[in-house]
Amino acid sequence: MKITFLGTSSGSPTKQRNLSATAVQPETGKPWILVDCGEATQHRLLHTPLSPHRLETILITHIHGDHCYGLPGLLASCQLTGRTAPLTLIGPRQAWEFIDAVIRTTELYLEYPLEFIEVSEALCHEAAGFRVTASPLSHRTQCWGYRVEELDVPLQLDVERLHAEGVAAGPAYASLQRGEDVQLDDGRTLLSADYTQLSRKPRVVVIAGDNDTPECLSAACDQADLLIHEATYTEEVLQQVGPEPQHSSAQRVASFAEQAGIPNLLLTHFSPRYAFASKRPPAKRSGGHRISEIRDEARQHYSGHLELAEDLDRWLLSRQGMLLPL
Amino acid sequence: MKITFLGTSSGSPTKQRNLSATAVQPETGKPWILVDCGEATQHRLLHTPLSPHRLETILITHIHGDHCYGLPGLLASCQLTGRTAPLTLIGPRQAWEFIDAVIRTTELYLEYPLEFIEVSEALCHEAAGFRVTASPLSHRTQCWGYRVEELDVPLQLDVERLHAEGVAAGPAYASLQRGEDVQLDDGRTLLSADYTQLSRKPRVVVIAGDNDTPECLSAACDQADLLIHEATYTEEVLQQVGPEPQHSSAQRVASFAEQAGIPNLLLTHFSPRYAFASKRPPAKRSGGHRISEIRDEARQHYSGHLELAEDLDRWLLSRQGMLLPL
């Protein structure tokens, strides 16, 4: 699975960071899915190998502008560049009301099919080789986290059992391994499920929207290889800001990921106050902070593989569940 | 007057060109006005000295997305960064319906006053030291061009007449020059208008929206120092595309500017097919064209000072009406 960060700032863009948008693509193949679509997501895409025409599904976590104001432009550019393939939009009902209103008020004509699915705990959507499910989060508006699980993990044949049952190697083996049930010449029917198992654990990435309670994702993170979660500020800044915005601190997310045993943690959605590279002193006048403050705090509470997302960073989650830079 | 191009592409962004947005600022002072607000205008502003908090008025030429999808994000970021000053939005009625719908569907709270003025031929709006009037254009949706005229040109005193009428030099001179009427000790009232004239012609810039008939701007361009107009393609490409999009070619705009005697012409809003620098060969596969084709065509029909806008280009229209790079 390949992850591309198209925006990693919260609220407003900075010179370095665009607004929330994260692409997930299978390790091979062109189709992909997008989680959130902050303003200028289409601009960022121009600097990646991702084709807007191969985008299959857009998942919106919540309706705040920094997570969805890039939708109209992306949809419009798909039309202008001749997209014909259907596109699915998944999110809270307001996401559709937003797009519907934009279509009506700005004479936006989309000739390709745009389907909307309202997100719920019952969501089970397949796109780009993934199965997507959703969990409600805790934010000041309805907000969701998406679990993206790899489909089509190759099956491994239980050759020992087949031998033991006297089934000779041949075309039946290949059929069973493809997941097909087989009728043998001797009349026996073999169910693929009885003679195969997944050759490895399917890869699982959980991508959260804004959320002040990472524990909302406990069930979604079962068997997850990677959690991508906002860490808008450090706990100290969160205490200064107060609880109203309902964001997470690095400490809260890191502590949750540690407790849940998630092997890889990618933090994103940083307050623009962290606009300063770790080696430059923060600008006092602007209340500037160093992004290293987020990293340092998370590191204190999490012993796994920790990374802070940067715009246009691309990551590979390997078949072995290792998070590697691309 | 200072002009900053924040976006110069039509329809979709390219790696080099953002979507339509042009800032106009007085030669001195921080307030400014914005004509159109394509997606990611706020991103471009981060790379200029223009402060969103000193933006006084946004003029929308028409409701197509490439001219207004940056509005919600810019308004939201003004709120997030603590703007309190009122902001005026001027444009077709749909521009307000668009913003109103976005506010309703995306929980966008604006605490600073946002006033809407529907554009019409009766528009006469003052902001940032300019007087703005509007002319209807010819496009496939209601579209406008804005004439931006400098206010506060210093007055020149008619010293000869004052001498001739026996008015002694003194505080009365200064008052008259500031535009104030004066009562003399001998009972005479002097009207400033009778004893002053503008020290020079006010600078005038006309900024058009999308428009297939530049002649719509004949009256607006009276005494104009600079016309900023779309030249989406060359005439040859326009003929291939057909008239439906209702855009101008370089030839049409250049011929109009020549005939109207406009001394400076800045072309913008180029089709993404002109994504290739003049020294690089066009990519055949993508139907690529060189931007120099636009320049060459315009040059054939216009003998004044011709420039093609690039993103983040800044221009000074001097008091003498010269267009100079900043």
Side-chain angles (χ1 to χ4, degrees):
Chain A
M1 290 171 84
K2 293 187 286 194
I3 316 287
T4 306
F5 286 95
L6 301 164
T8 60
S9 182
S10 77
S12 292
T14 70
K15 282 186 189 175
Q16 289 78 31
R17 297 184 188 275
N18 208 351
L19 297 162
S20 289
T22 308
V24 188
Q25 197 172 32
E27 191 167 343
T28 57
K30 292 284 185 190
W32 57 290
I33 62 176
L34 175 64
V35 181
D36 282 334
C37 188
E39 183 182 354
T41 295
Q42 65 165 329
H43 297 63
R44 275 286 190 251
L45 283 173
L46 294 170
H47 300 274
T48 74
L50 297 160
S51 163
H53 286 217
R54 305 304 302 273
L55 171 58
E56 295 194 353
T57 293
I58 303 174
L59 307 157
I60 298 295
T61 62
H62 66 301
I63 199 60
H64 286 158
D66 57 329
H67 294 255
C68 70
Y69 283 170
L71 264 178
L74 179 59
L75 298 182
S77 285
C78 281
Q79 172 68 24
L80 281 171
T81 54
R83 181 182 178 119
T84 54
L87 180 61
T88 302
L89 176 67
I90 297 176
R93 168 65 43 187
Q94 283 168 301
W96 183 248
E97 291 168 0
F98 166 59
I99 286 302
D100 185 54
V102 171
I103 287 172
R104 280 187 291 102
T105 58
T106 69
E107 302 181 6
L108 173 59
Y109 300 108
L110 302 180
E111 288 169 300
Y112 58 89
L114 179 65
E115 181 200 22
F116 177 70
I117 299 173
E118 185 174 356
V119 60
S120 73
E121 289 181 73
L123 178 74
C124 185
H125 176 75
E126 293 188 4
F130 301 116
R131 178 183 295 116
V132 179
T133 51
S135 304
L137 302 179
S138 170
H139 192 48
R140 60 188 197 276
T141 189
Q142 184 195 140
C143 188
W144 295 81
Y146 292 100
R147 176 183 165 103
V148 181
E149 182 168 343
E150 185 183 24
L151 293 169
D152 305 325
V153 171
L155 297 174
Q156 192 170 39
L157 212 52
D158 187 347
V159 177
E160 250 176 63
R161 180 171 172 186
L162 287 164
H163 281 176
E165 297 186 6
V167 182
Y173 276 43
S175 297
L176 289 168
Q177 196 166 14
R178 282 197 301 270
E180 298 160 14
D181 301 332
V182 164
Q183 178 132 35
L184 299 179
D185 291 344
D186 63 10
R188 279 187 291 171
T189 296
L190 307 185
L191 301 181
S192 174
D194 293 339
Y195 296 88
T196 57
Q197 58 181 15
L198 293 180
S199 59
R200 59 180 169 77
K201 186 185 94 57
R203 286 169 274 191
V204 173
V205 177
V206 174
I207 306 179
D210 294 3
N211 178 33
D212 68 2
T213 309
E215 290 71 22
C216 294
L217 289 164
S218 292
C221 284
D222 181 46
Q223 301 289 314
D225 300 286
L226 168 65
L227 171 62
I228 300 173
H229 198 290
E230 61 122 325
T232 305
Y233 8 67
T234 59
E235 185 63 26
E236 185 188 347
V237 170
L238 188 151
Q239 293 297 335
Q240 286 163 8
V241 170
E244 293 77 13
Q246 292 196 248
H247 285 302
S248 273
S249 66
Q251 177 185 315
R252 291 184 191 188
V253 183
S255 300
F256 165 72
E258 180 73 15
Q259 200 167 20
I262 303 166
N264 301 285
L265 176 61
L266 254 163
L267 300 178
T268 185
H269 193 269
F270 307 116
S271 160
R273 56 168 65 73
Y274 297 97
F276 301 93
S278 48
K279 286 184 184 163
R280 282 179 51 197
K284 291 236 170 54
R285 191 173 61 83
S286 63
H289 287 258
R290 290 173 170 140
I291 190 72
S292 60
E293 296 168 34
I294 300 268
R295 184 188 302 272
D296 294 345
E297 180 172 294
R299 174 55 61 223
Q300 284 176 45
H301 300 272
Y302 178 67
S303 59
H305 179 190
L306 171 73
E307 297 286 352
L308 270 58
E310 301 282 342
D311 279 35
L312 297 177
D313 269 1
R314 302 182 71 224
W315 293 95
L316 173 70
L317 182 65
S318 77
R319 289 172 200 180
Q320 295 75 37
M322 302 276 285
L323 186 65
L324 306 167
L326 276 176
Chain B
M1 289 170 84
K2 293 187 286 195
I3 316 287
T4 306
F5 286 94
L6 301 164
T8 60
S9 183
S10 76
S12 292
T14 70
K15 281 186 189 175
Q16 288 79 32
R17 298 183 187 275
N18 207 351
L19 297 163
S20 289
T22 309
V24 188
Q25 197 173 32
E27 190 166 343
T28 56
K30 293 282 186 192
W32 57 290
I33 61 177
L34 175 64
V35 181
D36 282 334
C37 188
E39 183 181 355
T41 295
Q42 64 165 331
H43 297 64
R44 275 286 189 251
L45 283 173
L46 295 169
H47 300 273
T48 74
L50 297 160
S51 164
H53 285 217
R54 303 305 301 273
L55 172 58
E56 294 194 354
T57 293
I58 303 174
L59 306 157
I60 298 294
T61 62
H62 65 302
I63 199 59
H64 287 159
D66 56 330
H67 294 255
C68 70
Y69 284 170
L71 264 178
L74 179 59
L75 299 181
S77 285
C78 281
Q79 172 68 24
L80 281 170
T81 54
R83 181 181 179 120
T84 55
L87 180 61
T88 302
L89 176 67
I90 297 176
R93 169 65 41 189
Q94 283 167 302
W96 183 249
E97 291 168 0
F98 166 59
I99 286 303
D100 186 55
V102 171
I103 287 173
R104 279 186 291 101
T105 58
T106 69
E107 302 181 7
L108 173 59
Y109 299 109
L110 302 179
E111 288 169 301
Y112 58 89
L114 179 65
E115 181 199 22
F116 176 71
I117 298 174
E118 185 174 356
V119 61
S120 74
E121 289 181 73
L123 179 74
C124 185
H125 175 74
E126 293 188 4
F130 302 117
R131 178 182 296 117
V132 179
T133 51
S135 305
L137 302 179
S138 170
H139 193 48
R140 60 188 195 276
T141 188
Q142 185 195 140
C143 189
W144 296 80
Y146 292 101
R147 176 185 165 101
V148 181
E149 183 168 343
E150 185 183 24
L151 294 169
D152 305 326
V153 172
L155 296 174
Q156 190 171 38
L157 212 53
D158 187 348
V159 177
E160 250 176 63
R161 179 172 172 185
L162 288 163
H163 281 174
E165 297 186 5
V167 183
Y173 276 46
S175 297
L176 289 168
Q177 196 167 14
R178 282 197 301 270
E180 300 161 12
D181 301 332
V182 164
Q183 179 133 35
L184 299 179
D185 291 342
D186 63 11
R188 278 187 290 171
T189 297
L190 307 186
L191 302 181
S192 174
D194 292 341
Y195 296 89
T196 58
Q197 58 180 14
L198 293 181
S199 60
R200 57 179 170 78
K201 186 186 92 60
R203 286 169 274 191
V204 173
V205 178
V206 174
I207 305 180
D210 294 2
N211 178 33
D212 67 3
T213 308
E215 291 70 21
C216 294
L217 289 164
S218 292
C221 284
D222 181 47
Q223 300 288 314
D225 300 286
L226 168 63
L227 171 62
I228 300 173
H229 198 290
E230 62 121 324
T232 305
Y233 8 67
T234 60
E235 185 64 26
E236 185 188 346
V237 171
L238 188 151
Q239 294 297 336
Q240 286 163 8
V241 170
E244 293 77 14
Q246 293 195 247
H247 286 301
S248 273
S249 67
Q251 177 185 317
R252 291 182 192 190
V253 184
S255 301
F256 166 72
E258 180 72 16
Q259 199 167 21
I262 303 165
N264 300 285
L265 176 61
L266 254 163
L267 300 178
T268 184
H269 192 270
F270 307 117
S271 159
R273 57 167 65 73
Y274 297 98
F276 301 92
S278 47
K279 287 183 185 165
R280 282 179 52 198
K284 292 236 170 56
R285 191 173 60 83
S286 63
H289 287 259
R290 291 172 169 142
I291 191 72
S292 60
E293 295 169 35
I294 300 269
R295 184 189 302 273
D296 294 344
E297 180 172 296
R299 174 55 61 222
Q300 284 175 43
H301 300 271
Y302 178 67
S303 59
H305 179 190
L306 171 72
E307 298 285 351
L308 270 57
E310 301 282 341
D311 279 37
L312 298 176
D313 269 1
R314 302 183 70 224
W315 293 95
L316 173 70
L317 183 65
S318 77
R319 289 172 201 180
Q320 295 75 37
M322 301 275 287
L323 186 65
L324 307 167
L326 276 176

